[in-house]
Amino acid sequence: MTRISSAPRIDFSDLRRELELPGEYPPAAVAEAEAGPHAEPRADRTDLAFVTIDPPTSMDLDQAMLLTRQGDGFRVYYAIADVAAFVAPGGALDAETWLRGQTVYLPDGKVPLHPKVMSEGKASLLPDQDTPAVLWTIDLAPDGATTHVEVERALVRSRAKLNYEMDPATLPESIALLPVIGPLLVARGLARGAINLPIPEQEISPDGDGWRLELRRQTPLEEYNAQISLLTGAAAGAMMLAGKVGLLRTMPPPDPQSVARLKTCAKALGIAWPADAKVGEVIATVSPSEPRGAAFLDAAAELMRGAGYTPFDGEVPAQPLHAGMATAYAHVTAPLRRLADRYATEVCLALHAGRPVPDWARQALPKLPDVMSRTDRRANAAERGAVDLVESVLLADRVGERFEAAVLDLDDRHGVKGGVVAVDEPAVIARCEGTMPLGERIQVTLAEADPKKRRVLFRA
């Protein structure tokens, strides 16, 4: 499901200043990025026909993939950009990445974690260049179960930069098995209790002299590609738990009361919930394109709370799981865009090789959760602020008009009944005041659209 609306040219500089986003990289940090990579032993895997799958405009390519048959099962080759080959511990570039924490995306340009000469050049897995990588080799049984994992430093060469709009029936040989392996991994996740919320995302992109606001749902190919990343993160999590040192991405399981409330919501919306079905299995049957399905998924999002990073060294955490994955999981597949991945990857390389984790990585583990939490909030605020601004500009001259909308949520703020609605056209999701039926399609009136406040309000 894709809905697109266009907005005029917008200045996002106020939002950048408000969030105190960093500007240009210090010259010393740029010089270090230009000087890399550092010379170190690595296996030559340039014979493997890797490809990348990313949005068409992306240049900071963290992952490259090759899928093959292995007996009656499968082998996943997953090459991840080796950022540690470019960033010297304690150097100017290292210090700057700790201030930034992660790449922040805005419609008029991102604020990268690393200088572009590195993240969109030497360290990116761009086609037709030899690039340092951390190569995960994961063998799968015919049902998608992991049977063997290896991780090593390697030199790789991507053959092509692909995107998510490809026809799954005509994929290149390197990833022709993705529509086979992807569903197997999805099914295994659901069976163990994983929760995947297929909620469409609001995205902003340039559109001539203005901006395009798009409500877009993941394509099947995009979902299967994500499953390879999740598979690798689960392999990393298992490796860390076995070695009793690492940095897990954790989320507590939903409490029984929250699940009971969601079951009540499902009943009210007419969503079938078989007696033996897990939360994720029920969610997988729901279409976000239907108002009742969208309302149910909005309610289900309340279960996905409390995500964070859990460092440990010598003793495994009491709660090591990520509820969305229903297993232990670590962030290791996006080091160009996320600081924590560089350190988690170094732990895995050391554990697999049977050598001590480097002091620079080990000592960083307990410090990373605070940095990632702070920069997560900043990145989320930038994303939400940009969408709010585009929505308010898009609707600024339409106050008083009536719109078709679906009711996603109900609440009572300061004694005023209301909730959240998703407008059919333009693709806006905003607060609405008034008494409304959850999961139904209604007409709403635009009461306010203020670009200065980045605020949109409807009334039922």
Side-chain angles (χ1 to χ4, degrees), residues 55 69 92 168 206 211 273 275 350 353 371 420:
R69 292 280 184 182
W211 299 97
W273 194 314
V371 174
V420 177

Side-chain angles (χ1 to χ4, degrees), residues 45 48 50 77-80 133-137 150-152 154:
R45 297 288 184 262
L48 297 176
F50 287 103
Y77 293 103
Y78 206 42
I80 308 299
V134 174
L135 176 59
W136 291 82
T137 304
E150 294 187 3
V151 59
E152 62 181 341

Side-chain angles (χ1 to χ4, degrees), residues 254-264 273 279 303:
D255 62 82
Q257 293 84 0
S258 297
V259 176
R261 285 195 295 271
L262 185 62
K263 287 184 176 179
T264 300
W273 194 314
V279 174
L303 302 180

Side-chain angles (χ1 to χ4, degrees), residues 2 7 71 103 106 269 317 420:
T2 300
T103 297
L106 285 169
L269 292 169
V420 177

